[in-house]
Amino acid sequence: MTVPNDADLYQLSGWIVILLVVLVYGGTLLVSAYIGKKKENADGYMTAGNKVGFGISAASMTATWIWASSMYASATAGYTYGISGPIHYGLWGALMILFIYPFGKRIRAVAPKAHTLAEVMHARHGRSSQLMLAGSNIVGSVISLTSNFIAGGALVALLSPFSFGQGVLAVAVGVLMYTLWSGFRASVLTDFAQVVAMLGAVAVIIPVVFFAAGGPAMFDQGASNLTPQQSNFFSSDAFLNQGAPYIAAVLAYAIGNQTIAQRLFAVREDLIKKTFVTATVGYGATVIGIGMVGVMALYLGVSPVAGDVNNLIPQMASTYLGPVLLCLFFVMILGALSSTADSDLSALSSIMMADVYGKNIAKKANPKTMLLVGRITMIVATAAALVFASQQMDILDLLVFVGALWGALVFPVIASFYWDKVTNRAFTTSVIVALAVFIPVRFSWFSMDGVTGIFFDILSAAGIGIVLGLMVFGFFGLKPAKIVGALAAVASAPFVIGFLHDYTVLTGSLVAYAVSTIVCYLMSVRSKQNFDFALIKQRIGDYDPVADDATAHPDDDLDGVTLSARQ
């Protein structure tokens, strides 16, 4: 069996890498120019007129959720926890998409013309709730953008003669170039081509690596490299360190991530279910499949180059793939990180256009000024992400922080779409109190010994009930949600109390859920407010009254029928 611990990595030549980068970003630029409009409008720039068809929207949702970091992290999970690692990573990531679907239908029904979730919170509650949600979206999108630039720099540095900084710069310029002019429309359509390339590459590359590394015999010969936990499909280590925090984050990422909300508002309303279900399957299959590369590395006894597990995927690809397939691999990773990076840019521009300029600066929003704000936002965000990427910050730690930050928002946001008694004060207070409790817990600012640990374990048990109750509520309604939530909290208590506070990442996330829910409920239940949800539809509409531009192309150009007619 070949064990490539000390193998020199095969690198592509500089000219080949330049050619691949030009092909990827030149091709997406051509696509962007093809669907671009001579006179872009603000609503099209943010949500493509709310008329995106099934194929493009499903592909875009899948491509956006599959980012380079998720591929690397899935392989890391496989290498760290064995075969259960990628399943805990990919399955729960896929369910993030699925569990937002029922809430997505409600959100679109209440606010069919919205551009961001924060914009809906402005119509529902007012400025403070809106800015709180928009601020968390901005932080998350900038971190995600930075993470993708870092992944691009690392890819180029490992597989070519170019440096990390040169790789980061090439990716940043390439993504900005094709996203700047047409905004979300460019992002969503180029996603289609990118996801087709990614799925095709995965279908070819993983089997090739598998058989080149020894095929089924690899698992017999390398079994001695695994610990008992890594050999166990039901590993408790994998569940507590990987699976459980992801379960807690399922709704948080779905609610807090503007890239998902933007696609929710863009897809045709009758296609929401098909889009989300298809994206769930596509994401799960792809990311779990990529994670198997890490499992193979574990069985083969591979040591990551420089001790960095993020090098596992390119290391395995460089060892077992020939030059042609290595080029395909390079394109796959470049497509994955670019599809998410352009989504982050589009999300950031929409937030600044709708939530900052449209609702808080302009007395009457000017669509032309909104477009300018959106494009300037993309340039500034790219520059900021370049600076952060050059510092090579610990992005995964920041992502965990943002995930818990969004966890504090989940109940107040969801309740605001269903419960007429939730007030602006209850929303903002519950989020602030939840964050004030979460941060010291997450970063272990005090001892969890004795009664303190028991107290937070009890809150965590309540958090488990709230997370599962919210998941059930989306599909089956309030009564089943209350039953499942109560049973989950009670059933988990004996296993959680006196034990869970040692896992600060999981405890912090569950506490954020529990505190925000308890505070929001207690402040709202006695409220005399009876909010009329019909007001949201009246308060949110198109910024640009002219649906189409002066070209021959209608504004519903991302509907599959119209698109195919133009080809």
Side-chain angles (χ1 to χ4, degrees), residues 31-41 185 546-558 562-563 565-567:
V31 173
S32 176
Y34 174 73
I35 53 90
K37 293 170 179 284
K38 291 180 180 177
K39 187 179 179 182
E40 187 62 76
N41 65 56
R185 185 182 291 108
V546 181
D548 293 330
D549 58 24
T551 70
H553 305 317
D555 200 35
D556 57 349
D557 52 2
L558 294 183
T562 308
L563 186 67
R566 289 174 55 188
Q567 294 173 334

Side-chain angles (χ1 to χ4, degrees), residues 439-485:
I439 291 173
V441 171
R442 169 62 184 85
F443 294 104
S444 303
W445 286 359
F446 54 82
S447 169
M448 282 284 192
D449 293 339
V451 177
T452 306
I454 299 296
F455 172 73
F456 283 103
D457 287 343
I458 293 172
L459 274 180
S460 296
I464 292 171
I466 290 164
V467 170
L468 295 180
L470 285 172
M471 290 177 175
V472 171
F473 172 71
F475 287 98
F476 304 108
L478 185 58
K479 188 174 180 179
K482 286 182 175 178
I483 295 172
V484 170

